[in-house]
Amino acid sequence: MSFDVTPQSMSFAAPLALRSGASLGDYTLAYETYGTLNAERSNAVLVCHALNASHHVAGRYAGQPKSEGWWDNMIGPGKAVDTDRFFVIGINNLGSCFGSTGPMHVNPATGRVYGADFPVVTVEDWVDAQARLLDALGIDTLAAVMGGSLGGMQALSWTLQYPERVRHAAVIASAPNLNAENIAFNEVARRAIVTDPDFHGGHFYEHGVVPKRGLRIARMIGHITYLSDDVMNEKFGRELREGVVRYTTQDVEFQIESYLRYQGDKFSEYFDANTYLLITRALDYFDPAGGHGGDLAAALARATAKFLLVSFSTDWRFSPQRSREIVKALLDNRRSVSYAEIDAPHGHDAFLLDDVRYLGVVRAWFEGIAGELQ
Amino acid sequence: MSFDVTPQSMSFAAPLALRSGASLGDYTLAYETYGTLNAERSNAVLVCHALNASHHVAGRYAGQPKSEGWWDNMIGPGKAVDTDRFFVIGINNLGSCFGSTGPMHVNPATGRVYGADFPVVTVEDWVDAQARLLDALGIDTLAAVMGGSLGGMQALSWTLQYPERVRHAAVIASAPNLNAENIAFNEVARRAIVTDPDFHGGHFYEHGVVPKRGLRIARMIGHITYLSDDVMNEKFGRELREGVVRYTTQDVEFQIESYLRYQGDKFSEYFDANTYLLITRALDYFDPAGGHGGDLAAALARATAKFLLVSFSTDWRFSPQRSREIVKALLDNRRSVSYAEIDAPHGHDAFLLDDVRYLGVVRAWFEGIAGELQ
C-alpha cells in the first residue's frame, strides 16, 4: 500500500557557487516530503537520487496509477524507512530534468534556454544546494542521509561537507569514485548523444528536435551495466523473439534485443540529453580521495556520522570491493560502520528491488536511529 | 623478426549455399599461406580470424613497416606455430572488408553494390567456404585448425562440420555460444551503426558517406569489453589528460576517454559498417548445442579431433567458465582435450598478446602435432 504525495518546489535567489568556478542564480529545486518533522526537528532523513530518478522517492500522485516513487518499496508508513517516525525529504538535483532547474530552462542572464551552457555541477554542488533547502525548511541536523549508487556518493559527500549536520549516513551500492571502466561506459554513452546530429552541440531545443538516437544508445548501455550477467541469462538467455532464426542483421532476433530497444525508446521519450551529460560527469568527477593524494582514509577523516554500507554480490558496476574500500577507510578512522554484502542476483539494480535481507538490514538500522530519537 | 608475405586470392564460380537459405555466387576469398606444404599434404594449419582481423595472420608486407599480421607473435619460423614445420593458411571470411567478397562489392546479379543486401553469413557458412578453398589447394586433411574468440568458434565448427578433415583443433578465448550480455553489447553496437543517419539502411556507399559515428561507438564498446577492469585501471585509472579538471561535459577529461575516442576514430576510417553487422550476427547465431536442445555434449559428439582449449582469467567477454563448458562436453564424449586457463591481466585481448605461459602451451601442443607428422 502506498500513500498520496504532492510535489513541492522552492526557489532560491542567492547565487550558488559551483566547484567549476561558475555560479547559478535564480534556481528552483523540486522536492517532496513524507511524514512529519518532530518538535525537536531531529527526525529528518534526506534521500539522494541517482541518474534516472528524482525527488519523487515514495508515495504516489493522487489519481495517477503506477505513479509510485522510485524507492516506494523502501520508504513509507511502516516500511524500512518508516515515515510514521521519520520526516523524509527527496530533492531533485540541479541539472536534472524532473522539475529542478536544468538545461531545458531559460537562463535568466541571457533569456535563452541553457542547453549546453548549463554549468557543470558536481556531487558537492548538489549537496550544497540540498543543504540550502534544508536551511529553508528549518532543518539543522539530519537524523540520516541515504542514497544508492550516485545517491550514495551524495550521502558520503554530506558527511564530509557538513559533518556536523549528519548523524547517520547510508551509502548503498556505491563507490568512493568511478574506475576507468565506469568512466569508459559513461563516455561511450555521452559520445552517442553528442555525435547525434540532432544534438546540435547541446542546443537542440531551439531546433525543435531531440537527440533520441544517442539517448537510446546511452540507455541501452546503461541497462547492460545495471544488470548482472546471471540475471540477463535467466531473464533472456538466447531466447528468440519469433522462436526461429530469421537471418537479419537489422531486425530483432533475440528477446534481449527487444528488451533493450524498448528501454532505449522509452528513455529517449522523457530524458534530457544535456542532463545525461551533466549527471554522468558528476559521477566521473566524484573522488573525495582525489584531494588527499588518493588516500581515502585521510579524505574520510572529517566524517563523524555513523555509517551503513550495503553492496550486492553481482553488482559489477559498483562492486562490493568498492564498498569495502569505504568501509576500510572509515574503520581506519575508528568510525562506526555497519556493512552488509547482500548475495543478490540482480546486479546494480538490486538496490532498487525487494530483497528481504537487504530491506531487513536497512529497517534494523533505521530502527536503531529511531530509538536514539526517543 | 618477421618475414615477408604476399596476399593471394581465389575466385569461386559455383554458388555457396548459405544457412539462411540464400546462396552466394561468384565470390572471391583473400588468403595467405606461410611455410611449405609437405609431400604428404599433412602439415596444413588453418587459422581462423575474429571480428577485426583478416587473412593477414603473420609476416609483413615488403616495404611496409608495421604491417605485421595480427598473430605474428604466434606464427612464423621458429615460433609457437612454427612455419618451418607447418603450412599455415589464413583466409579472410566472406562478408569481411579486407579483400574477400563483402557488402562493399558489386552484386553480380544486380550490378549494384551489395550493401545491406549482402546475405547473412554464419560461422558454418564461413567454414564451408574455407573448406572449398582447401579443396582447391589440394588439402584434404588439416593437421590443425585454430582460432581465438570468433576464430575459436570456427575452429570448433570445423570439428563438427568436417570431423574427418581435422586432426587437431585449438579453440582459444572462445565460447560455445554468446550469452545474453554478449548479444546485448553486439546489439547496442549495431543500433549505433544502423541509427546513424549516414547508414542509409546499409546503402551508404551510393550516398558517398560512411556511418562513422556509429562505427566509433561500436568500436568504443568493443574496446571496453576486450579489456579487463584491472588492466584499464592500471593503464588509465582516473588519470586526467590535462592534469586538472576542466569541468566540461563534451571535451575529453580523462585519459581513458582520449584512448577510446582515438580507437573509435581509427576504426571508423577503415572498417565497413555492414561487415560489422554481419560479423556480430555470425557471433550471435553460433550455437552448436542449439540443434541438440541445448545439450553441448550431444552437439560435440561428432567431433573426433584432439583439442586444445585456452582461456584467460580476466576475460569477462568469453570467460574461462565458457571454455570449461566446451572442455566438459568433450570429456563427456571421451575426447582428447588439453585445457589451459592462463592467469593473465589483459582480459579478452590476452589471446593476441605475448604471454610466456600461453605461447608456451601452444608451442608444446604444436610440437606434439609436428611429432605425429614424422
Side-chain angles (χ1 to χ4, degrees), chain A residues 177-180 187 190-191 195 213 229 233 238 247-248 251 253 257 261 281 284-285 287, chain B residues 177-180 187 190-191 195 201 213 229 233 238 247-248 251 253 257 261 281 284-285 287:
Chain A
N177 62 25
L178 294 196
N179 65 15
E187 172 68 0
R190 280 191 298 262
R191 293 314 289 166
T195 64
R213 302 177 198 87
D229 208 18
N233 285 330
R238 295 181 48 82
Y247 296 101
T248 167
D251 294 339
E253 282 279 28
E257 298 173 334
R261 288 194 193 190
R281 260 307 187 219
D284 291 355
Y285 286 141
D287 187 21
Chain B
N177 62 26
L178 295 195
N179 65 16
E187 172 68 0
R190 279 191 296 263
R191 292 314 290 166
T195 64
R213 302 178 198 87
D229 209 17
N233 285 330
R238 295 181 48 82
Y247 296 101
T248 167
D251 294 339
E253 282 280 27
E257 298 173 334
R261 289 194 192 189
R281 261 306 187 220
D284 291 354
Y285 287 140
D287 186 21

Side-chain angles (χ1 to χ4, degrees), chain A residues 73-95:
Chain A
N73 61 338
M74 173 74 83
I75 294 162
K79 294 184 181 172
V81 182
D82 187 351
T83 52
D84 289 337
R85 306 168 91 172
F86 293 103
F87 178 65
V88 176
I89 307 144
I91 306 176
N92 189 218
N93 285 325
L94 284 169

Side-chain angles (χ1 to χ4, degrees), chain B residues 61-127:
Chain B
Y61 297 140
Q64 293 183 36
K66 296 193 176 176
S67 67
E68 281 79 13
W70 55 271
W71 228 347
D72 190 64
N73 61 338
M74 173 75 83
I75 295 161
K79 293 183 181 173
V81 182
D82 188 351
T83 52
D84 289 337
R85 306 169 91 170
F86 292 104
F87 178 65
V88 176
I89 307 144
I91 305 175
N92 189 216
N93 285 326
L94 284 170
S96 181
C97 50
F98 296 115
S100 291
T101 300
M104 68 298 303
H105 294 125
V106 171
N107 178 354
T110 65
R112 279 182 66 202
V113 169
Y114 279 109
D117 300 330
F118 194 86
V120 169
V121 281
T122 64
V123 166
E124 289 79 6
D125 296 331
W126 286 336
V127 167

Side-chain angles (χ1 to χ4, degrees), chain A residues 127-356:
Chain A
V127 168
D128 284 343
Q130 291 160 4
R132 279 194 178 184
L133 192 142
L134 296 189
D135 291 343
L137 294 179
I139 296 167
D140 187 51
T141 307
L142 288 166
V145 59
M146 74 183 295
S149 190
L150 174 57
M153 290 176 167
Q154 293 162 61
L156 180 60
S157 204
W158 258 97
T159 70
L160 306 177
Q161 293 176 244
Y162 300 98
E164 71 290 354
R165 298 184 69 173
V166 189
R167 291 203 304 276
H168 304 84
V171 178
I172 298 171
S174 196
N177 62 25
L178 294 196
N179 65 15
E181 187 183 82
N182 293 144
I183 297 172
F185 279 121
N186 280 348
E187 172 68 0
V188 181
R190 280 191 298 262
R191 293 314 289 166
I193 290 170
V194 168
T195 64
D196 184 328
D198 286 335
F199 184 65
H200 293 286
H203 295 287
F204 51 89
Y205 315 94
E206 53 206 69
H207 294 267
V209 292
V210 169
K212 288 192 179 181
R213 302 177 198 87
L215 282 166
R216 284 190 201 108
I217 296 296
R219 186 57 166 179
M220 291 171 84
I221 293 170
H223 262 279
I224 298 176
T225 67
Y226 303 152
L227 297 177
S228 72
D229 208 18
D230 286 352
V231 86
M232 267 197 165
N233 285 330
E234 195 186 301
K235 276 178 82 166
F236 306 104
R238 295 181 48 82
E239 205 182 326
L240 294 163
R241 195 175 62 167
E242 309 282 330
V244 292
V245 172
R246 296 158 60 231
Y247 296 101
T248 167
T249 59
Q250 297 187 39
D251 294 339
V252 166
E253 282 279 28
F254 295 91
Q255 290 289 14
I256 179 67
E257 298 173 334
S258 180
Y259 170 79
L260 289 176
R261 288 194 193 190
Y262 173 77
Q263 295 294 341
D265 286 348
K266 207 171 61 167
F267 188 71
S268 74
E269 295 291 331
Y270 71 83
F271 207 83
D272 180 77
N274 284 305
T275 292
Y276 203 93
L277 305 187
L278 289 166
I279 295 189
T280 54
R281 260 307 187 219
L283 272 162
D284 291 355
Y285 286 141
F286 183 69
D287 187 21
H292 294 81
D295 184 342
L296 188 62
L300 301 194
R302 288 179 58 79
T304 52
K306 294 177 183 173
F307 281 82
L308 170 65
L309 273 285
V310 182
S311 70
F312 299 92
S313 55
T314 57
D315 183 350
W316 60 280
R317 188 182 172 95
F318 290 147
S319 70
Q321 186 209 316
R322 303 310 318 273
S323 284
R324 289 196 293 261
E325 290 174 33
I326 300 175
V327 170
K328 181 175 184 312
L330 289 168
L331 292 177
D332 286 348
N333 285 299
R334 301 178 179 277
R335 294 294 175 271
S336 167
V337 189
S338 299
Y339 175 51
E341 199 166 304
I342 307 289
D343 188 10
H346 304 96
H348 190 58
D349 259 2
F351 89 87
L352 295 167
L353 302 177
D354 286 329
D355 179 287
V356 173

